């Protein structure tokens, strides 16, 4: 789908940097152990962690996109304002982290409407971007892009075009694409790198904490320099919080994935944000949309 693109513009590429704002107890891996009804009784850590992330970005002079849960924004309006005041983009991560494939189209519409209203109220800026919880737009939810387009979203970054045990849509394009013929909405998948003929996750998640930073450096360089395309990276505020409470009853696999490498995370992120050029996802979406339009003109 992306073959035949014109060569990228001159100069170093600006990649997309994103943070999925949710608290330590809201991650998909713990959803069977900590019910949504219990969330209000749990001690929150998201404000302190987001403050750390804002400081880390300020130090590197980068702006990013914060895909935020409506549930979190409702309870932390001052934090949402601080994110906006620091020059970052506020975007939607849905209301309470329910995956898109668990919704009917109508329920999904209600979820994104509710989340956006809260985030816009708190942040005072228009929300034009969406990231599905746990990258849950895939082959099961072909209607999701239509709902996003109907609600006026400019872009989504909700697809992980890779094989993964919890999520993934391995057949999806690896780079920005327009999922609907009749809409300018674009999808910018999270980054994968090619290891031989295999797609490997390279845009954040457990692997970034578990593997040495050198792997991520290689992967992002590969995407930027060899393929000439921008990368999209994401992480969570809880990943810079080694002192978060441990969920004892979670499955071993979930615990391993969640807790490994937390103490080294801030240092790795610091390397990452200094080594490559990063910017907000809405700005990346605008550049990618322009490039897609250009490619269509060339083909027309
Ligand atoms: Zn999430």
């Amino acid at each position: 789908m992306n073959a035949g693109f014109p060569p990228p513009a001159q100069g170093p590429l600006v990649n997309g940097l994103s943070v999925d704002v949710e608290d330590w107890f809201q991650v998909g891996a713990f959803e069977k152990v900590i019910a949504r009804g219990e969330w209000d009784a749990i001690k929150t850590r998201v404000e302190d962690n987001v403050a750390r992330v804002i400081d880390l970005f300020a130090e590197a002079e980068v702006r990013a996109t914060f895909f935020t849960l409506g549930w979190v924004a409702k309870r932390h309006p001052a934090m949402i304002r601080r994110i906006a005041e620091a020059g970052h983009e506020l975007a939607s991560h849905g209301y309470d982290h329910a995956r898109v494939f668990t919704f009917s189209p109508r329920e999904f519409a209600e979820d994104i409407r509710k989340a956006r209203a809260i985030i816009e109220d708190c942040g005072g800026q228009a929300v034009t971007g969406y990231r599905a919880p746990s990258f849950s737009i895939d082959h099961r939810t072909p209607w999701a892009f239509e709902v996003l387009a109907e609600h006026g979203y400019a872009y989504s970054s909700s697809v992980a075009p890779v094989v993964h045990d919890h999520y993934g849509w391995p057949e999806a394009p690896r780079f920005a694409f327009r999922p609907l013929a009749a809409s300018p909405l674009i999808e910018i998948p999270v980054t994968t790198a090619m290891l031989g003929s295999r797609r490997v996750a390279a845009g954040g998640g457990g692997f970034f904490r578990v593997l040495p930073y050198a792997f991520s450096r290689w992967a992002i360089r590969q995407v930027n320099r060899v393929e000439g395309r921008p990368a999209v990276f994401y992480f969570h505020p809880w990943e810079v919080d080694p002192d978060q409470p441990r969920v004892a009853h979670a499955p071993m696999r979930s615990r391993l994935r969640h807790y490994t490498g937390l103490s080294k995370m801030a240092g790795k992120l610091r390397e990452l944000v200094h080594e490559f050029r990063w910017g907000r996802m809405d700005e990346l979406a605008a550049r990618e949309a322009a490039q897609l339009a250009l490619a269509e003109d060339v083909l027309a």
Side-chain angles (χ1 to χ4, degrees), residues 40-198:
D40 264 318
I42 303 175
K43 196 165 169 0
T44 175
R45 299 176 71 87
V46 72
E47 289 219 13
D48 287 351
N49 295 334
V50 163
R52 262 178 235 178
V53 171
I54 291 175
D55 287 350
L56 194 143
F57 289 170
E59 193 187 292
E61 294 181 20
V62 298
R63 305 256 194 276
T65 294
F66 288 66
F67 293 101
T68 303
L69 289 182
W71 193 97
V72 168
K74 195 171 164 183
R75 286 156 180 83
H76 303 278
M79 175 187 86
I80 300 303
R81 278 194 297 279
R82 278 197 294 278
I83 294 171
E85 281 162 13
H88 303 296
E89 179 195 3
L90 287 164
S92 171
H93 194 36
Y95 183 71
D96 65 359
H97 220 266
R99 294 171 170 86
V100 177
F101 53 73
T102 66
F103 289 131
S104 69
R106 185 179 296 203
E107 289 165 340
F108 177 56
E110 176 52 20
D111 181 89
I112 60 173
R113 190 206 56 75
K114 188 173 162 187
R116 175 154 76 179
I118 298 167
I119 299 164
E120 288 187 343
D121 265 3
C122 300
Q125 55 174 257
V127 164
T128 63
Y130 172 76
R131 170 164 293 147
S134 307
F135 298 103
S136 54
I137 290 183
D138 60 23
H139 68 279
R140 288 169 287 187
T141 56
W143 44 263
F145 290 123
E146 281 164 40
V147 177
L148 288 167
E150 274 163 27
H151 284 75
Y153 281 85
Y155 77 92
S156 153
S157 179
S158 304
V159 168
V162 68
V163 179
H164 186 281
D165 56 349
H166 285 315
Y167 52 72
W169 186 4
E171 302 80 26
R174 292 178 53 232
F175 297 109
F177 63 100
R178 227 187 265 163
L180 306 168
S183 161
L185 175 83
I186 64 166
E187 164 63 35
I188 316 177
V190 67
T191 289
T192 54
M194 296 306 292
L195 197 60
S197 59
R198 260 186 70 210

